[in-house]
Amino acid sequence: MMQSGRANFGSKLGVILATAGSAVGLGNVWRFPYMAGDHGGAAFILIYICCVFLLGIPCMVSEFIIGRHAAANTARAYRSFSGGTLWGFVGYFGVLTGFLIMGYYVVVSGWCLQYVFASLMGHLHGSPEFFTNYFQTFEKDPFKPVLWTVVFMFLTHYIIMHGVREGIEKASKMLMPTLFVLLLVIVVSSCMLPGAGKGISFLFNPDFSAVNGDVFLGALGQAFYSLSIGMGCLCTYASYFSKQTNLMRSAVQISLIDTMVAILAGLMIFPAAFSVGINPDSGPSLVFITLPNVFQQAFSGVPIVGYIVALAFYGLLALAALTSLISLHEVSTAFIHEEFHTTRKRAALIVTLSSSVIGAVCSLSLGKWDGLQICGRSLFDIFDFFTGQIMLPIGGFLTCLFVGWYLPHKMVHDEFTNWGTLRGKFFHIFIFCIKYICPVCILLIFLHQFGLI
Ligand code: PHE
């Protein structure tokens, strides 16, 4: 089924770094540390790691199997196996989810660029109120956030336009190592602060009394979002894998990188916050209001270090966002390029322009067009809620059923073992997880978040 002449990643390292680039994103830096801190520290981390291994990795391998076997965009991949049944729609659903996620993800990515610029220019210093005002004024500005959104979209466009090997792979090989270096610089600076030990023990002290059903469901939801499962990114990237790529091993390596970055993000935030006695918040206010203040206070003795750490932090966030956005863009670009028989460049431009418009509208819905609300939520929140809480779990759930129950067992086995060249030791565990454990757990989170169980 492999189409000859189709683009592919040139090396194993390219496969790992590009796919890890999709996984490592804003979710690792602002969501994971807070979730861990709030839900029992090391206890949450342990549960999270179990979710990654038992549920995340099997789902990732499933998407890899579909993508690599079909060697086509997500919509065509599912359609090609569906034999004209409704299963074909799962792929279209994935493409739509990816496209919508991009619409608000790019807005937050644009905010990161503004903060890179602001920290470079030395604008990020003042009283705690200053940081709150700064963010709120910026977020509601009718012009600046839209400009950064469009700039970010075109940055992504530039990389996508150069294709799979020269664009995505090359960029990932440069961006990911830079990201790791920045991460380490900040972790070391943060952990060396006086009083940092309290932050480290907050993160690593297992508090099993905080563990309840919500913690399991929170960990599972976080694992899916963080690993980019359920919306065609992994399937699209896998369509560029070679026949020699060991799917299971790659999934394990990518998940380990993603988890390590999430834990290191905690080590960057908590020690600094505890050393100045500020309680870390969650979501946008953590990254754009609390942390600039933390960095300023923590390094007030040597302001130049504070300046470098803030700049490194926003640079890191922008890079993490960029590599995730590339994967989101690629889902739609591959779809338009292959389904509408247009050139890759034109497909990329269509995606860039349309997502810039959606991003701009989402951004304006937080300020100038705040009347643009559905059920009392801004368009930005609606996109976030609808894609993350509804569409991603549905996509993940259907993919499990598709691979576990619908696809021919032999085909799944062939892909898993690279046509018998690998031993496939974990195949039976994989099939068991994908048939029973994953669908049941996803269904549980889904029902729980609506208060149905
Ligand atoms: N995994 C990314 C993150 O952690 C988010 C993402 C989700 C990216 C789905 C692509 C697809 O931020």
Side-chain angles (χ1 to χ4, degrees):
M1 272 230 157
M2 290 282 215
Q3 291 170 7
S4 56
R6 194 165 192 274
N8 62 6
F9 290 123
S11 65
K12 266 194 219 161
L13 186 68
V15 164
I16 302 294
L17 290 184
T19 319
S22 168
V24 171
L26 299 172
N28 299 56
V29 183
W30 85 26
R31 196 147 178 265
F32 180 86
Y34 175 78
M35 295 273 287
D38 219 28
H39 290 111
F44 176 87
I45 298 181
L46 282 177
I47 296 170
Y48 178 81
I49 292 175
C50 291
C51 288
V52 166
F53 275 83
L54 254 146
L55 305 161
I57 293 179
C59 287
M60 187 181 272
V61 173
S62 299
E63 288 197 31
F64 284 172
I65 287 177
I66 299 170
R68 186 173 68 173
H69 194 84
N73 69 81
T74 304
R76 187 179 296 182
Y78 280 79
R79 201 176 63 219
S80 66
F81 302 120
S82 68
T85 60
L86 284 177
W87 283 113
F89 284 102
V90 180
Y92 289 92
F93 187 75
V95 174
L96 179 67
T97 311
F99 184 70
L100 295 180
I101 293 183
M102 191 158 50
Y104 77 87
Y105 205 86
V106 67
V107 176
V108 186
S109 313
W111 295 348
C112 301
L113 275 191
Q114 160 75 22
Y115 273 67
V116 169
F117 177 72
S119 40
L120 192 68
M121 303 306 285
H123 291 168
L124 293 181
H125 59 85
S127 63
E129 296 74 46
F130 163 82
F131 292 106
T132 312
N133 279 338
Y134 185 90
F135 179 64
Q136 287 174 351
T137 317
F138 164 69
E139 184 194 37
K140 294 190 169 36
D141 191 286
F143 178 69
K144 273 199 227 159
V146 175
L147 175 75
W148 288 119
T149 297
V150 175
V151 167
F152 214 103
M153 212 58 239
F154 274 87
L155 212 62
T156 313
H157 177 83
Y158 177 78
I159 293 166
I160 290 287
M161 214 180 62
H162 285 85
V164 173
R165 222 180 256 204
E166 287 301 307
I168 302 176
E169 184 170 353
K170 222 175 180 177
S172 306
K173 281 185 174 165
M174 263 161 43
L175 300 177
M176 291 305 281
T178 316
L179 187 144
F180 293 132
V181 171
L182 293 178
L183 191 63
L184 288 180
V185 167
I186 308 171
V187 169
V188 171
S189 323
S190 179
C191 289
M192 274 169 37
L193 286 167
K198 269 189 280 167
I200 301 176
S201 65
F202 177 66
L203 191 62
F204 290 121
N205 208 355
D207 173 9
F208 289 101
S209 67
V211 175
N212 55 25
D214 281 348
V215 175
F216 279 92
L217 298 169
L220 184 56
Q222 172 67 17
F224 272 60
Y225 184 80
S226 191
L227 296 174
S228 310
I229 286 167
M231 41 70 59
C233 266
L234 300 174
C235 181
T236 306
Y237 271 14
S239 72
Y240 306 128
F241 289 3
S242 78
K243 285 186 176 179
Q244 281 78 41
T245 306
N246 183 333
L247 299 184
M248 180 72 191
R249 185 188 296 158
S250 306
V252 172
Q253 288 168 340
I254 292 158
S255 306
L256 285 177
I257 294 179
D258 188 63
T259 306
M260 195 183 71
V261 171
I263 295 175
L264 286 176
L267 280 179
M268 177 162 95
I269 292 168
F270 286 108
F274 273 71
S275 91
V276 287
I278 293 178
N279 231 352
D281 238 321
S282 68
S285 49
L286 165 72
V287 173
F288 298 108
I289 298 175
T290 317
L291 283 183
N293 184 24
V294 165
F295 291 145
Q296 174 187 262
Q297 290 195 30
F299 299 100
S300 57
V302 228
I304 182 76
V305 179
Y307 173 88
I308 293 172
V309 167
L311 186 60
F313 178 76
Y314 291 108
L316 176 148
L317 265 183
L319 292 185
L322 179 60
T323 50
S324 292
L325 212 55
I326 293 171
S327 71
L328 288 162
H329 197 301
E330 181 60 25
V331 174
S332 300
T333 302
F335 170 71
I336 295 181
H337 170 47
E338 290 171 5
E339 296 305 299
F340 298 99
H341 307 291
T342 171
T343 60
R344 188 179 159 88
K345 282 202 170 130
R346 187 171 303 158
L349 192 62
I350 295 172
V351 176
T352 302
L353 292 177
S354 50
S355 336
S356 299
V357 172
I358 296 185
V361 175
C362 273
S363 173
L364 289 170
S365 78
L366 293 170
K368 191 156 172 61
W369 293 353
D370 56 5
L372 214 95
Q373 291 193 347
I374 306 176
C375 305
R377 288 169 182 247
S378 68
L379 203 67
F380 178 92
D381 290 340
I382 292 282
F383 267 57
D384 180 7
F385 172 78
F386 212 74
T387 51
Q389 325 279 81
I390 299 184
M391 297 178 82
L392 280 185
I394 294 182
F397 179 72
L398 293 175
T399 299
C400 295
L401 296 186
F402 187 59
V403 173
W405 296 91
Y406 181 81
L407 286 185
H409 196 74
K410 177 168 177 343
M411 183 216 119
V412 176
H413 185 262
D414 282 350
E415 281 293 335
F416 192 94
T417 59
N418 288 356
W419 296 268
T421 55
L422 302 171
R423 277 202 297 150
K425 265 192 293 192
F426 297 109
F427 184 70
H428 294 293
I429 303 180
F430 161 72
I431 284 291
F432 182 76
C433 290
I434 215 66
K435 263 187 146 160
Y436 304 103
I437 301 190
C438 299
V440 170
C441 291
I442 300 175
L443 198 65
L444 286 180
I445 349 176
F446 194 70
L447 297 178
H448 180 80
Q449 72 187 352
F450 294 108
L452 297 172
I453 50 166

